[in-house]
Amino acid sequence: MKTQISRRWGSIACFASAAALLWACSPQDSTASPNPVPAIQATPTAPLVSPSGATRADPVQRAAGTGPSQAADAERGEKLYKAQCGACHSLDQNRVGPLHRGVVGRKAGGVPDFRYSPALQKLDLVWTAETLDTWLENPSAVAKGTSMGFRVRKPEDRAAIISFLETVTEE
Amino acid sequence: MTDKTVPLPSRRALLGSAGKTLSIAGVAMMVGGYAPRIMRASAEELSSDVQILNAAIALEHEGIAAYQIAATSGLLDPAVVDIGVTFQGHHKGHRDELVKAVRTLGGTPVEEKSLDDYAKSLNAASLTNQTDVLKLALGLERGAANAYLGLIPSLGVDFHQVAARMAGDEAFHAAILANALGEPIPKNALIFG
């Protein structure tokens, strides 16, 4: 099994379990990347961190809406946003879901060129911290028949994501 | 239970028991017999599933396109292209399964966009080497695993297992890609969701 995978993967496979080995067999023969090893070692701290706090040491100890913890929250929120919303949303491109830059303060269903579901088209609501919180808890409770089924279960995760969205204003 | 709602057991019977992979052909035959009742009764619930499943189809279309763009980018080692094409095949399998489910519910599956559209919305122009491509793929796969897990509570129970199975596939892809990029193995449990 292991041999088979390794054979198929070539340099990419390296399915041995020791972390040391993993470093050693990072894609060195990626011809297009002249110096891949340092670049790759930098990735653990890069934005694509494990979702849902798997790699985060700090437990939730934020007080809603207070200065420094709000900034920390937005930072945590950005990671959560990438991991949880990133399959469907981007800040500046319509994808499966509408783009998010400037969403706080915008009318629901308000991104031009995005094809919303009928449920969202007729939803009469402005996105605020509060409305976003109920939306992320259960979108279909806000707009029955919406095409967004994704829910964020933990209130503190919703708060962090919303803090982040508050920072991504229109340029 | 008002007559506006189909009682759960009968909906279950229609859509196949939750413990099985959706056996769409059989379901479609059964749906025929019950059609008037379904249309009248649980149209709302069914259409909510259709909407959500269609968003999942859109996600799979994008994944298929991303691997297409990657495979033809000229940035990847042949061995990596091979893996990418295999993963793309899994996404096509997901798409097909979801398309069948949407049709069975009487919905219209969402169409794919052009490859150019996907290249633009994924910012493919910024990819300059294999590592860039692997990182993009990892972000999408990790996001997709989380996305499927996060939409389970919004879906009708008949689709819980199929969504979980898709999340499993995406997590498998993400693990391989993270490994290829040399990312450390997450220390804590419950890595996704």
Side-chain angles (χ1 to χ4, degrees), chain B residues 120-137:
Chain B
K120 183 170 167 269
S121 66
L122 293 170
N123 203 10
S126 70
L127 303 171
T128 59
N129 56 45
Q130 176 159 290
T131 300
D132 287 349
V133 176
L134 290 171
K135 279 185 184 168
L136 170 69

Side-chain angles (χ1 to χ4, degrees), chain B residues 81-166:
Chain B
V81 172
D82 213 31
I83 302 302
V85 169
T86 305
F87 287 3
Q88 186 191 47
H90 299 157
H91 289 288
K92 288 179 174 170
H94 295 172
R95 174 203 59 198
D96 294 346
E97 201 66 25
L98 293 163
V99 162
K100 276 194 274 182
V102 164
R103 292 218 168 101
T104 303
L105 295 174
T108 309
V110 66
E111 300 276 333
E112 66 200 349
K113 297 189 256 176
S114 75
L115 215 50
D116 280 355
D117 283 344
Y118 289 116
K120 183 170 167 269
S121 66
L122 293 170
N123 203 10
S126 70
L127 303 171
T128 59
N129 56 45
Q130 176 159 290
T131 300
D132 287 349
V133 176
L134 290 171
K135 279 185 184 168
L136 170 69
L138 174 58
L140 292 174
E141 295 285 10
R142 195 172 261 165
N146 287 323
Y148 277 113
L149 294 170
L151 54 78
I152 287 174
S154 297
L155 277 173
V157 286
D158 303 299
F159 299 107
H160 288 186
Q161 194 184 33
V162 79
R165 295 182 72 195
M166 291 188 187

Side-chain angles (χ1 to χ4, degrees), chain B residues 172-184:
Chain B
F172 179 99
H173 296 169
I176 302 260
L177 292 163
N179 178 263
L181 281 162
E183 284 201 8

Side-chain angles (χ1 to χ4, degrees), chain A residues 9 13 40 48 52 54 95 149, chain B residues 62 142 154 176 179 181 188 193:
Chain A
W9 265 97
I40 282 159
L48 293 171
S52 284
R95 289 173 51 217
Chain B
E62 188 191 71
R142 195 172 261 165
S154 297
I176 302 260
N179 178 263
L181 281 162
N188 299 331

Side-chain angles (χ1 to χ4, degrees), chain A residues 8-17 22-23 25-27 29-34 36 39-41 43-44 46 48-56 82-84 86-88 90 93-96 117-118 138-140 144-151 153, chain B residues 44-45 47-48 51-52 55-56 58-59 62 75 77 79-80 82-83 86-87 113 120-122 128-131 134-135 138-140 142-144 146-154 175-177 179-193:
Chain A
R8 293 204 57 198
W9 265 97
S11 66
I12 282 294
C14 301
F15 226 58
S17 49
L22 296 183
W23 291 122
C25 53
S26 298
D29 51 358
S30 150
T31 45
S33 158
I40 282 159
Q41 281 179 334
T43 54
L48 293 171
V49 195
S50 298
S52 284
T55 62
R56 283 186 301 273
K82 289 203 166 110
Q84 308 224 352
C88 297
S90 296
Q93 296 285 342
N94 287 329
R95 289 173 51 217
V96 177
S117 68
N138 180 1
S140 44
K144 195 155 182 53
T146 176
S147 50
M148 173 159 152
F150 188 82
R151 299 184 192 186
R153 200 168 27 91
Chain B
E44 236 185 19
E45 202 192 353
S47 90
S48 156
Q51 291 287 347
I52 293 168
L59 182 154
E62 188 191 71
L75 298 171
D77 295 341
V80 178
D82 213 31
I83 302 302
T86 305
F87 287 3
K113 297 189 256 176
K120 183 170 167 269
S121 66
L122 293 170
T128 59
N129 56 45
Q130 176 159 290
T131 300
L134 290 171
K135 279 185 184 168
L138 174 58
L140 292 174
R142 195 172 261 165
N146 287 323
Y148 277 113
L149 294 170
L151 54 78
I152 287 174
S154 297
I176 302 260
L177 292 163
N179 178 263
L181 281 162
E183 284 201 8
I185 295 169
K187 287 207 173 53
N188 299 331
L190 305 178
I191 297 164
F192 293 94

Side-chain angles (χ1 to χ4, degrees), chain A residues 87-112:
Chain A
C88 297
H89 291 281
S90 296
L91 293 179
D92 297 300
Q93 296 285 342
N94 287 329
R95 289 173 51 217
V96 177
L99 62 83
H100 272 153
R101 186 174 299 284
V103 67
V104 178
R106 188 190 290 141
K107 204 190 146 320
V111 173

